[in-house]
Amino acid sequence: MPEVPLLKLENVGKEYFGNRVLAKVDFSLNRGEILGLVGENGAGKSTLMNILFGMPVISGTGGYEGNIVLDGRVVRFNSPFDALEAGIGMVHQEFSLIPGFSAAENILLNREALNGSILELVFSERLNTLDRPAMRRRAARAIQTLGVDIGVDTIASEMPVGYKQFIEIAREIDRTRTRLLVLDEPTAVLTETEARILLDALRKLADGGISIIFISHRLQEVKSLCDKIVVLRDGNVIREESARSASIRDIAAWMVGRQVDDSRPPRTGKVSDEVALSVRNLWVDMPGETVRDATFDVHRGEIFGIGGLAGQGKLGIPNGIMGLSPSGGEVALFGKKIELDTPRKALDSGMAFVSEDRRGVGLLLSERIDWNIAFTGMQVQNRFLRGIPGLGNLVRIRDDAAIAEETERYIRALEIRCTGPGQRAVELSGGNQQKICLAKAFSMRPELLLICEPTRGIDVGARELVLNTLRRYNEEYGTTILITSSELEELRSVCDRVAIVGEGKIAGILPATSPAERFGLLMMGAVGDGDEAAQREAAGNA
Amino acid sequence: MLKKFIATAGWPRVIIGLFLFALFVAAPFVGVRISTSLSDTLVRFGMNGVMVLALIPMVQAGCGLNFGLPLGIIAGLLGATTSIELGVRGALGFAVAVGLSVPIAAVLGYGYGQLLNRVKGDEMMIATYVGFSSVAFMCMAWLLLPYKNPTMVWGYQGSGLRTTISVNEYWFHILSDFFSFKIGTFYFPTGMFLFFGFMSLLMWLFMKTKTGTAMTAVGSNPEFARASGVNVDRMRIVSVVLSTIFGAIGILVYQQSFGFIQLYMGPFYMALPAVAAILLGGASVNRATIFNVAVGTFLFQGILTMTPSVINSVLKTDMSEVIRIIVSNGMILYALTRKAQVKR
Ligand SMILES: Nc1ncnc2c1ncn2[C@@H]1O[C@H](COP(=O)(O)OP(=O)(O)OP(=O)(O)O)[C@@H](O)[C@H]1O
Ligand SMILES: [Mg+2]
């Protein structure tokens, strides 16, 4: 008799306000199996997982069609608690840690170890005190399973993003009942090294009998980790394939419905000798990404990359330059000194910024797409404003038509999947939200574009589109671009030079064409005790 | 079609709207004249509209519902009393009252805004205290301020302002009667509606300016606004100042229709009905539109007028004050418990 699969989806469908997102999704998952769920941005992956996990947004918008069969029984979860009860753990695309709580507290939230007391007998468990040492032990064990080294007492808001991701996963692991673990783009914020640690940990969990659904846009991870791959396109299962037999190129082609061309035309942009951005002894007090002493120059027309492991300070540099975190040192754009600590000064001097924190800083989630894109341009450059007929320019009000028009342009150029400029940003899929953030920065026509994690959560097709757009922008308008990314390969493929940050300092700057090993050495040096040679090289190159 | 209407209007409004309609239908059967009830409702709408409008900017800027509205009202009272003290009558007197209240409101609002910037996250609670304590403070001030006009001060003492001051000889109905008309017993206060329309237009235009847009963004996501070069604290102060100014003008509109200036504990009872009206109109703690204001004020004031008169006629006793208190507080409770629905 064949084994009953742990999970089986039968004809699952979903509509948001008349917009069909999932058609008839069918697939099954066995115990201890890892299923890779891939698909373009907006294909419906997160929606499918939200259905599985009983998220309120699903029932709040009319529920779903079809059946979810868990262990041979049809289930219909009304809330995430039901799903947890049934042994499903989920790590969402966006973080859900409590900022002020420590790693241990976050991991054990609601499942705290308790000291028994008399009060418990009289009232309920709720009056017991927490057994802190036990909690720390349990949290440490969960973290250890993942193969990373994070202090259990670190406060969530002070962790680098990569750590937060591990803590989210540790939380799901600690639940003893977890049978099915759903991970929605867990590696999007991790560097390759960190991602590998995570993948190894997941493999171990699966070997222990836990089934895993793994969503990622990094196809090589999907291929190396998963047993089975399910490809979604426009809400339909296009393909169900064993991971061994499918090549990465095939998967990409199934996802987007055409061959993905990842070759980039040769670089034609001219890098002048003139220094565009000069940074001297920059320090930035950004939680989890402290910069101690960074010094480097970026030339006009250059695409300059900043890489490094999570927590070493690579994200602190652009955030400090933009004045979003307390910072000091000397920053000058085209020889003009920029006052730090006030975003307005940086914006006025011709910079634009894409934050790594999409939901926190990057978007007005509850507002329209077109507001999101045009807002900064309106505030800083007085664009998208018009006079009132009859009053001349006495009072200038928002030019909604111009805003919508600008937005339409970017919706086409970046292939943003939405119902129109009036849709609210919160209703877009993660990758499409990312495109909105990029459009906002492009629309500013900046002299210097600072971009953090440009392709975070973006699918293979769109990734080429975004990287090529950056390139084209640089070449057509001569825009200087500073890209911060955890993906070294991405940096090497679009940048002219790449700086590696370690321990809050520039460990070294190399031409993007240098062999990968040399970058690897710089990164490792950053973890170890600071590589003297790399330091010298940095000084020489700058 | 019907479903769509209910979805856009929201259930609370449909229910209360139907209830109000039922009251109007029932009224003639119990001997309440529809024409008078309707004009009562409209008059009350006009009296309160601007004060409800005053809540919009702070809600949009993320400072929550302005429970500190009494502060703006106090500014309005100072303007009104000073104008009377100066002895200016008619339209000019009203204009002087407005002209004096606005700068006072701006100054008070500025300080109030500074305070709210220090207590981010707890605005509504602090606002309530600001409302309470400013009223208490003014209770002393009204006694001490050196006003002399005999229509205002206590006759036997010759100093200290009375609790209610008649504006009869000054600017009674100065807005209401502007182009007003009567059909039988139905009276329509055209001027007051024009004024409400004008103030709404101002608010609408303001919310569409660069500053207004920035304000909405600050309420929606302050971090986003900051990264876009907006001075978040300043925007919040602007919203508080604007709210306070509208509150001041709002009370003047109220007084010219009502005929009296109510001092001392008067402002105390003003914030809650305004808040209830805007919530009833479908606003939430972080999003409010002029449409919410208009619908909410009409429903709230409509029920407040109709319920007591209909019930009185049925019971044949005068319990209007009791019923009014029960109904208004009931509706406030109802409005506050309605979780704001995210509308598309
Ligand atoms: N709350 C919502 N209201 C309306 N539409 C929504 C909502 N949430 C998602 N959608 C729509 O559903 C579609 C699928 O979104 P979903 O988030 O599932 O995509 P995804 O496959 O996870 O994409 P990504 O790779 O970008 O994260 C999108 O077109 C999106 O606009
Ligand atoms: Mg998603």
Side-chain angles (χ1 to χ4, degrees):
Chain A
M1 195 183 120
E3 182 195 12
V4 183
L6 175 72
L7 174 75
K8 194 160 163 16
L9 301 188
E10 294 175 346
N11 286 331
V12 174
K14 167 78 194 157
E15 235 180 58
Y16 277 118
F17 314 105
N19 172 20
R20 182 145 290 280
V21 174
L22 291 172
K24 290 193 152 118
V25 177
D26 272 302
F27 63 75
S28 62
L29 176 65
N30 292 326
R31 283 182 189 74
E33 198 174 32
I34 305 185
L35 181 145
L37 186 60
V38 296
E40 274 184 294
N41 291 133
K45 303 178 296 294
S46 300
T47 306
L48 187 58
M49 295 306 109
N50 285 341
I51 291 177
L52 181 58
F53 199 57
M55 291 297 281
V57 51
I58 300 296
S59 47
T61 52
Y64 63 95
E65 305 124 39
N67 283 325
I68 295 174
V69 186
L70 195 67
D71 259 342
R73 280 215 330 255
V74 175
V75 289
R76 196 159 274 259
F77 301 130
N78 291 319
S79 81
F81 297 109
D82 297 348
L84 285 173
E85 197 66 21
I88 301 182
M90 172 136 172
V91 176
H92 291 274
Q93 193 162 7
E94 316 290 344
F95 296 121
S96 52
L97 296 179
I98 301 181
F101 277 22
S102 73
E105 285 163 335
N106 266 300
I107 292 175
L108 296 179
L109 192 67
N110 259 331
R111 294 184 315 277
E112 291 87 351
L114 301 176
N115 291 319
S117 78
I118 303 188
L119 287 175
E120 179 184 354
L121 303 176
V122 187
F123 299 99
S124 82
E125 255 190 14
R126 296 189 160 267
L127 288 177
N128 288 345
T129 50
L130 301 183
D131 181 357
R132 298 234 168 231
M135 282 176 67
R136 301 188 51 201
R137 270 198 308 279
R138 260 170 69 187
R141 181 151 19 95
I143 294 175
Q144 220 170 26
T145 328
L146 289 174
V148 284
D149 182 24
I150 304 172
V152 286
D153 297 321
T154 326
I155 302 296
S157 62
E158 290 171 6
M159 289 176 198
V161 269
Y163 284 17
K164 288 188 193 165
Q165 189 71 67
F166 278 106
I167 298 299
E168 294 248 355
I169 297 166
R171 185 176 65 200
E172 301 311 317
I173 292 178
D174 177 75
R175 295 185 214 275
T176 41
R177 315 173 113 91
T178 304
R179 293 187 289 168
L180 170 62
L181 190 58
V182 177
L183 302 154
D184 195 350
E185 299 192 26
T187 54
V189 291
L190 304 184
T191 55
E192 282 94 343
T193 340
E194 293 160 331
R196 213 163 304 129
I197 298 175
L198 177 67
L199 299 192
D200 289 344
L202 292 181
R203 186 76 259 174
K204 257 186 270 163
L205 287 176
D207 290 343
I210 295 182
S211 308
I212 296 176
I213 298 182
F214 179 78
I215 300 178
S216 173
H217 288 296
R218 298 186 180 173
L219 299 181
Q220 61 282 22
E221 291 173 2
V222 176
K223 183 166 162 54
S224 69
L225 173 71
C226 301
D227 303 307
K228 178 155 90 178
I229 293 178
V230 170
V231 184
L232 272 186
R233 194 201 306 158
D234 294 329
N236 291 293
V237 176
I238 288 290
R239 198 91 190 198
E240 203 178 322
E241 195 72 43
S242 130
R244 252 171 301 283
S245 58
S247 79
I248 289 180
R249 278 186 156 268
D250 290 341
I251 304 174
W254 293 330
M255 276 171 63
V256 297
R258 59 183 158 81
Q259 287 296 328
V260 177
D261 178 16
D262 59 359
S263 65
R264 231 173 296 288
R267 182 111 164 86
T268 59
K270 274 211 301 289
V271 180
S272 80
D273 285 340
E274 187 189 354
V275 172
L277 175 75
S278 109
V279 176
R280 294 282 169 275
N281 307 106
L282 177 73
W283 60 261
V284 183
D285 183 16
M286 178 178 174
E289 290 280 347
T290 314
V291 179
R292 297 210 165 71
D293 184 4
T295 297
F296 61 93
D297 284 330
V298 181
H299 295 213
R300 182 194 276 269
E302 188 174 30
I303 305 185
F304 188 86
I306 301 184
L309 297 182
Q312 299 291 324
K314 65 172 183 300
L315 288 171
I317 293 179
N319 276 289
I321 295 176
M322 276 307 292
L324 288 170
S325 297
S327 52
E330 263 178 57
V331 174
L333 189 64
F334 298 113
K336 246 184 51 218
K337 202 169 170 269
I338 308 286
E339 203 176 301
L340 296 169
D341 286 343
T342 13
R344 185 56 188 256
K345 290 277 157 50
L347 290 163
D348 279 341
S349 70
M351 297 189 201
F353 176 67
V354 176
S355 171
E356 76 291 350
D357 186 357
R358 193 155 65 206
R359 302 206 134 201
V361 181
L363 290 173
L364 287 173
L365 280 174
S366 50
E367 305 295 342
R368 303 156 52 103
I369 295 175
D370 54 6
W371 272 47
N372 272 281
I373 293 183
F375 183 78
T376 317
M378 178 197 295
Q379 296 301 323
V380 178
Q381 300 165 338
N382 288 322
R383 287 162 63 207
F384 311 114
L385 292 171
R386 63 180 170 94
I388 301 171
L391 283 177
N393 267 348
L394 197 64
V395 186
R396 279 154 62 83
I397 59 170
R398 211 160 59 221
D399 189 347
D400 290 322
I403 294 179
E405 193 184 318
E406 174 95 344
T407 306
E408 297 275 10
R409 265 197 22 232
Y410 283 105
I411 290 179
R412 275 194 305 274
L414 296 175
E415 294 170 12
I416 299 172
R417 207 189 277 212
C418 60
T419 55
Q423 196 173 13
R424 295 185 309 142
V426 69
E427 292 172 3
L428 294 186
S429 79
N432 286 302
Q433 290 179 346
Q434 178 72 18
K435 291 183 191 172
I436 302 285
C437 296
L438 292 168
K440 176 180 72 171
F442 285 145
S443 154
M444 296 274 292
R445 312 235 171 83
E447 303 267 358
L448 172 70
L449 184 52
L450 303 157
I451 300 198
C452 301
E453 308 286 2
T455 60
R456 168 170 174 199
I458 283 194
D459 69 48
V460 273
R463 170 197 203 89
E464 294 312 311
L465 183 76
V466 165
L467 293 180
N468 287 335
T469 310
L470 280 178
R471 220 356 142 56
R472 210 189 59 229
Y473 220 81
N474 163 269
E475 285 166 3
E476 272 172 27
Y477 304 105
T479 314
T480 312
I481 304 184
L482 188 78
I483 304 181
T484 311
S485 169
S486 3
E487 281 181 72
L488 185 59
E489 280 321 302
E490 173 175 301
L491 291 177
R492 288 184 60 216
S493 78
V494 282
C495 297
D496 298 310
R497 286 186 303 154
V498 178
I500 299 296
V501 178
E503 295 185 335
K505 299 191 175 104
I506 304 285
I509 302 176
L510 297 173
T513 46
S514 318
E517 304 84 72
R518 294 194 55 202
F519 286 104
L521 281 178
L522 281 182
M523 286 216 198
M524 289 311 131
V527 178
D529 52 353
D531 183 354
E532 282 302 314
Q535 293 283 358
R536 270 201 302 281
E537 189 158 6
N541 257 350
Chain B
M1 180 51 213
L2 184 66
K3 230 173 151 178
K4 203 166 158 211
F5 171 75
I6 292 178
T8 18
W11 269 110
R13 271 153 300 295
V14 173
I15 293 171
I16 294 194
L18 286 176
F19 181 55
L20 184 59
F21 183 71
L23 285 174
F24 271 110
V25 171
F29 296 103
V30 296
V32 177
R33 245 197 312 242
I34 289 206
S35 52
T36 24
S37 328
L38 194 60
S39 53
D40 274 357
T41 305
L42 293 176
V43 166
R44 283 162 158 276
F45 176 94
M47 284 164 79
N48 289 281
V50 179
M51 270 186 286
V52 184
L53 207 55
L55 300 176
I56 290 184
M58 275 175 64
V59 168
Q60 288 295 84
C63 299
L65 295 159
N66 187 6
F67 284 103
L69 199 62
L71 198 67
I73 292 176
I74 284 169
L77 294 178
L78 282 168
T81 45
T82 314
S83 157
I84 289 182
E85 176 73 16
L86 295 176
V88 246
R89 285 161 205 263
L92 186 64
F94 189 74
V96 168
V98 172
L100 288 170
S101 327
V102 168
I104 299 176
V107 172
L108 291 179
Y110 182 79
Y112 175 31
Q114 295 272 0
L115 181 70
L116 288 191
N117 273 344
R118 267 168 229 186
V119 295
K120 287 193 186 136
D122 296 322
E123 288 91 351
M124 289 203 257
M125 183 164 20
I126 302 298
T128 312
Y129 282 112
V130 167
F132 286 177
S133 47
S134 59
V135 168
F137 176 78
M138 287 311 287
C139 278
M140 295 187 283
W142 297 127
L143 285 174
L144 302 175
L145 287 172
Y147 286 113
K148 290 281 174 296
N149 189 323
T151 49
M152 298 200 297
V153 294
W154 291 114
Y156 48 88
Q157 278 170 333
S159 74
L161 293 170
R162 303 170 191 232
T163 39
T164 43
I165 297 166
S166 165
V167 299
N168 230 326
E169 295 160 37
Y170 293 87
W171 24 267
F172 181 56
H173 273 202
I174 199 81
L175 290 178
S176 305
D177 282 350
F178 183 73
F179 278 123
S180 67
F181 55 86
K182 250 188 163 150
I183 306 171
T185 45
F186 176 78
Y187 164 79
F188 187 78
T190 316
M192 209 151 60
F193 271 79
L194 288 178
F195 191 75
F196 175 71
F198 173 69
M199 295 302 279
S200 300
L201 182 72
L202 283 187
M203 182 61 78
W204 182 77
L205 278 178
F206 174 77
M207 292 317 289
K208 273 183 86 95
T209 58
K210 182 176 151 185
T211 314
T213 310
M215 195 178 274
T216 309
V218 166
S220 190
N221 180 355
E223 284 304 309
F224 176 96
R226 191 167 88 90
S228 293
V230 172
N231 184 333
V232 173
D233 283 356
R234 192 161 66 210
M235 278 306 136
R236 288 166 53 102
I237 289 183
V238 171
S239 81
V240 177
V241 167
L242 199 65
S243 181
T244 310
I245 290 178
F246 265 65
I249 298 178
I251 195 68
L252 292 173
V253 177
Y254 185 94
Q255 289 160 355
Q256 62 80 31
S257 171
F258 188 51
F260 297 97
I261 301 173
Q262 295 166 294
L263 300 178
Y264 300 94
M265 294 309 277
F268 201 83
Y269 305 106
M270 288 298 189
L272 224 45
V275 167
I278 203 168
L279 290 177
L280 219 52
S284 71
V285 179
N286 38 38
R287 187 163 295 237
T289 62
I290 292 170
F291 180 74
N292 296 146
V293 169
V295 171
T297 314
F298 182 78
L299 290 180
F300 186 76
Q301 296 300 338
I303 300 254
L304 219 54
T305 328
M306 293 302 292
T307 324
S309 51
V310 169
I311 294 187
N312 273 342
S313 308
V314 173
L315 299 181
K316 305 254 180 319
T317 47
D318 188 19
M319 310 214 319
S320 52
E321 211 33 55
V322 177
I323 295 169
R324 208 189 302 278
I325 289 171
I326 294 176
V327 170
S328 68
N329 288 301
M331 272 199 296
I332 290 170
L333 271 179
Y334 179 67
L336 286 171
T337 51
R338 282 306 88 189
K339 202 153 105 229
Q341 276 185 336
V342 188
K343 275 195 303 205
R344 286 167 48 79

